[in-house]
Amino acid sequence: MNKRMLMAGVFLLLCMLAVDVRAHVPRESANNTSLETAYPVEDPLKSWVFYDEIAHAGQVRYYSFTMAVGQRIRASVFTPEGDSFAPGLVIMGPTLDTSESGFPNVELPDSYGALVYEGVKRGAEYEPFTPGAYYYTAETDIVVSGNGTYYVAVASRGGTGPFGLALGYEERYILTLTVS
């Protein structure tokens, strides 16, 4: 057997065993409706997508993570439907300047500042390999100037519905192998 055929066989075997290769790691959160129950994000630089819902008027969803000086918080909110539901983002941290959350029901930790990104419905962005479309409503990309725990809150001034929160920017691929 020549070397090329052996390499091709090994490659084909690996392809058959590969179950999952992904960049955005999907997660579903639950009970993250207060600062105390904020969903803990283990690695906020890694590209995550959290699927969640604002089920009733005034509900807020929280996510927490630790950042170091010079790291970036990159976050965006999207909805699966083109209706009027347009959730916004509130980024809260120990080194941010403003002292108000901007949304009436968003809790702000003591001595924290907040950056508010209002939700605005934009045109659809279509997925290249599915018939689905997403409507991005708010996004940010900031560099933090201090170490500490930061929070992202997703809130809406009106309307309810499902949303996705994309957090992070490092596309890390994980190859998962299973043997049948």
Side-chain angles (χ1 to χ4, degrees):
M1 184 183 281
N2 71 29
K3 191 174 182 179
R4 277 190 167 181
M5 287 182 64
L6 179 60
M7 294 296 287
V10 169
F11 177 74
L12 186 59
L13 178 62
L14 287 174
C15 287
M16 290 175 15
L17 293 174
V19 172
D20 193 12
V21 177
R22 65 177 73 157
H24 294 286
V25 178
R27 292 283 187 258
E28 289 186 27
S29 54
N31 301 322
N32 56 329
T33 57
S34 70
L35 286 173
E36 293 78 32
T37 61
Y39 186 92
V41 180
E42 309 101 41
D43 182 357
L45 304 183
K46 182 176 180 174
S47 184
W48 299 97
V49 175
F50 299 94
Y51 295 102
D52 216 328
E53 178 180 20
I54 294 178
H56 57 79
Q59 187 175 50
V60 179
R61 297 297 186 158
Y62 296 89
Y63 307 83
S64 66
F65 45 89
T66 303
M67 300 294 287
V69 173
Q71 290 182 323
R72 288 172 45 204
I73 297 175
R74 184 171 178 189
S76 60
V77 177
F78 59 90
T79 63
E81 299 169 3
D83 59 12
S84 62
F85 177 54
L89 280 171
V90 180
I91 309 296
M92 298 173 276
T95 61
L96 301 177
D97 292 332
T98 62
S99 61
E100 294 183 21
S101 69
F103 282 86
N105 295 327
V106 173
E107 301 172 55
L108 186 64
D110 291 338
S111 72
Y112 270 49
L115 299 173
V116 177
Y117 302 90
E118 292 288 339
V120 177
K121 187 64 80 172
R122 301 182 195 142
E125 290 189 25
Y126 294 91
E127 288 292 311
F129 302 108
T130 67
Y134 294 108
Y135 299 85
Y136 286 86
T137 62
E139 61 187 329
T140 186
D141 190 346
I142 63 169
V143 176
V144 299
S145 60
N147 299 333
T149 300
Y150 287 77
Y151 295 89
V152 170
V154 177
S156 175
R157 292 201 185 277
T160 60
F163 69 87
L165 169 66
L167 183 64
Y169 55 91
E170 292 180 356
E171 301 290 341
R172 297 188 201 148
Y173 296 91
I174 300 169
L175 177 62
T176 306
L177 300 176
T178 61
V179 179
S180 302

